Amino acid sequence: MTAPAVFKPRGVDTATLRRLLPVYGVYVALALLVLFNIAWTDNFLAWNNLRIQLVQVTPVVIVALGMALVIGTEGIDLSVGSVMALGAALIPLYLGYGTVPAILLAVVGGIVVGLVNGSLVAFVGLQPIVATLAMLVAGRGVALVLSDGKYKDIRAKDFLAIGTDAFLGVPYTVWIAAVLAAVVGFVVRRTVFGRRLLAVGDNRAAAQLAGVPVKRVLITVYVIAAVLAAVAGVIQVSRIGSADASRIGLLIELSAITAVVVGGTPLTGGKVRVLGTVAGAFLMQLLTATMIANNLKDSTAQMVQAVIILVAVYTARERRTR
């Protein structure tokens, strides 16, 4: 007589958790944080509050998009904050010629920095952290020289409209970030350049042997990152109505790297998670806002963010080494 089958409950599949956590963990954490705020934070769902959160996170999202591409090639760009400051310093110098020329010149400034960064990495062979660290110092120094180290007010209404006006009730800056995120996502997933970028990050030597123009890809990636940082600088100036080269973009490179890593893009390169990067930026922004709204110190928020970064990096490392 056959013995009756014994039901055994399935245990937690830790291997599956390790595989899914780097990809979906940021969305779960963001959803839980939103639910917490709905339950405990007064007026969280009020449009004014949501609008503030969206506007504040916009520069980080834009810079993080470029950072994600750089990290996808197994690089890093510490100069993005200085590029923001450089773009901010150029705006008041050329705003007298019109809003469009001023913005274009700010973008050109970003292109120059990106070409320098990319050339140092691709042709000179410097480590990305070294090349961009040098530009972090030099870029802000140039910005301070251009602005004479002074805080400059912006009064051009058409330029300020970029940071203050809205379309369908949503600020222009948020639309700009959304469009840029869509474009970067399309480039990564649907273009030859995107595939080459991931190939370079996965194995640079193999990509070179396969005929991928590695140096061209690296330079292009650093140029894109710098241009996006310059755009973020323009948006920041238009939003606050002033150009302060000593403060704009300060430490934003850390926020951008955090968003990218928490969003599931490994520091070892070979993958770029655009939507995850955007979600990571929102998660860190909302985490800080939540703690402030609940009367917790900013230092506490920073410690919590540090723990989240360590968990994200460790999880990605575990996945990479298996």
Side-chain angles (χ1 to χ4, degrees), residues 85-86 89-90 93 137-150 152 244-246:
L86 180 61
L90 288 168
L93 292 178
V137 178
R140 193 167 294 274
V142 172
L144 289 170
V145 169
L146 292 174
S147 63
D148 292 327
K150 296 178 181 178
K152 295 188 177 182
D244 185 356
S246 65

Side-chain angles (χ1 to χ4, degrees), residues 44 54 65 79 85 104-105 127 140 154 163 175 182 189 191 210 214 216 218 223 229 237 268 275 280 299 306-307:
F44 174 73
L54 288 170
L65 291 172
S79 69
L104 289 177
L105 283 168
Q127 290 293 325
R140 193 167 294 274
I154 305 295
W175 285 112
R189 288 182 172 271
T191 68
V214 173
R216 190 194 313 163
L218 289 173
V223 168
V237 172
T268 47
L275 188 58
S299 57
V307 172

